[in-house]
Amino acid sequence: MEQKNATNTSPRPAATAAKAEAQSSGGASLFSVIVIILAFVISYCVYKFVFGDASHFQGGNNENNPNPGDYLGVVYKGGFIVPFLLTMFLCVITFSIERMLTIAKAKGSKGIESFVRSVRQKLNVNDINGALAVCDAQKGSVANVVKAGLMKYNEMVRETNMTTDQKVLAIQKEIEESTALELPMLEKNLVIISTIASIATLTGLLGTVFGMIRAFAALAQAGTPDAVALANGISEALINTALGIGTSALAIVAYNYFTSKIDELTYSIDEAGFSIIQTFAGQHGSTATASPRSV
């Protein structure tokens, strides 16, 4: 019964955290849908009115071959797959910028390593109020998680009806619940970037296959081999492959970069949380065994 009371002392219930996370997820999903739709509209307009402008083609007609050396016309001849590839490219750029802003906000006002070091220094001298002041100055998701752990620390210091082990467990649980509320937003939209990294190349290859089919079909109908027409057709088809591979490569780099940054924030929270638990166990009892939170 005491154990149950110890685990239910958090001022932020799991149900509240889950509700807040669901609301945040709904907002992020709406944002993602809007971005994808706008990216497609912009991509189609660029494809139709910029790449497909008559000035890029022989005789001023986009049904003809592109002007020599005019790559915008060549891209237009890549076919209907091109707007989809451009949409993926714009989505990667947009979501990468959005993730950069979100992660920068989560870090707070100064470097995360400096923040964690300041908190540990305050904890080493048992200056909990000073550590809370550092969190208030830092702001951001990481500081919010650490501050929640410190506030629970102060609450457990005044608690007299719980054992040291129960108090340590309550602090650790508070840090975990705060992390579950704050950090998942850092991974929003990363699934879209990872999906684009997987399908962009395949979409480009699909466009290349369609282009090759059209090129050889036109060559067969001409009756006599036309090396220039065949070369133009192949060049137009390979545009899709180039766009697909380029977009996929950019998405892979972005995904790995943001994943490493999120891991860095997670490790920082682990380090600060471990320091909080160790300090409490050392100052208020030696029977508790502190362990870092597993994520």
Side-chain angles (χ1 to χ4, degrees):
M1 187 66 176
E2 291 181 352
Q3 184 71 14
K4 180 178 180 180
N5 292 334
T7 58
N8 287 337
T9 55
S10 171
R12 185 184 297 108
T16 303
K19 181 179 180 180
E21 184 177 348
Q23 292 175 347
S24 175
S25 177
S29 298
L30 179 60
F31 170 77
S32 302
V33 171
I34 293 175
V35 167
I36 293 173
I37 292 175
L38 287 178
F40 179 77
V41 172
I42 294 173
S43 298
Y44 181 80
C45 291
V46 170
Y47 170 76
K48 192 70 175 179
F49 302 111
V50 178
F51 296 159
D53 187 81
S55 62
H56 302 303
F57 301 89
Q58 298 176 4
N61 186 351
N62 59 16
E63 297 295 329
N64 298 330
N65 290 329
N67 293 324
D70 194 327
Y71 289 101
L72 295 182
V74 174
V75 173
Y76 176 80
K77 286 296 184 178
F80 69 94
I81 297 293
V82 171
F84 293 98
L85 292 172
L86 291 177
T87 299
M88 295 180 191
F89 178 79
L90 290 179
C91 285
V92 171
I93 297 296
T94 302
F95 289 128
S96 294
I97 294 174
E98 186 264 342
R99 286 298 89 193
M100 288 179 64
L101 296 176
T102 300
I103 291 176
K105 182 179 179 181
K107 285 183 177 180
S109 59
K110 62 181 181 179
I112 195 68
E113 292 182 0
S114 176
F115 165 70
V116 173
R117 183 166 56 251
S118 298
V119 171
R120 296 190 67 176
Q121 289 173 350
K122 297 295 183 181
L123 289 174
N124 288 337
V125 296
N126 200 28
D127 184 6
I128 304 302
N129 291 331
L132 286 170
V134 171
C135 293
D136 290 335
Q138 175 72 9
K139 302 180 181 179
S141 297
V142 177
N144 290 340
V145 174
V146 176
K147 182 177 180 180
L150 292 173
M151 293 177 66
K152 177 59 68 172
Y153 183 110
N154 277 337
E155 181 183 337
M156 291 298 102
V157 169
R158 297 187 297 269
E159 177 64 50
T160 59
N161 297 324
M162 298 169 59
T163 65
T164 302
D165 285 337
Q166 290 174 330
K167 292 178 180 180
V168 169
L169 180 62
I171 296 173
Q172 185 171 358
K173 180 174 173 51
E174 175 66 16
I175 295 175
E176 291 174 352
E177 290 183 353
S178 300
T179 302
L181 183 64
E182 294 284 350
L183 286 190
M185 72 173 184
L186 299 178
E187 298 180 353
K188 302 292 185 185
N189 301 324
L190 282 186
V191 65
I192 297 178
I193 296 178
S194 65
T195 300
I196 291 175
S198 301
I199 67 174
T201 302
L202 297 177
T203 304
L205 291 175
L206 181 63
T208 298
V209 170
F210 287 153
M212 294 294 289
I213 291 174
R214 289 196 303 269
F216 282 101
L219 185 63
Q221 293 176 0
T224 58
D226 187 343
V228 175
L230 181 60
N232 285 337
I234 294 175
S235 176
E236 294 162 3
L238 292 178
I239 286 297
N240 291 286
T241 301
L243 287 175
I245 292 176
T247 301
S248 180
L250 180 62
I252 291 172
V253 171
Y255 180 82
N256 289 336
Y257 173 80
F258 293 124
T259 299
S260 66
K261 289 299 181 181
I262 292 172
D263 288 342
E264 178 182 336
L265 296 180
T266 303
Y267 295 149
S268 298
I269 291 178
D270 284 343
E271 183 179 359
F274 183 66
S275 297
I276 293 172
I277 296 172
Q278 286 282 60
T279 299
F280 186 89
Q283 294 289 336
H284 302 280
S286 58
T287 60
T289 302
S291 60
R293 176 180 56 82
S294 58
V295 177

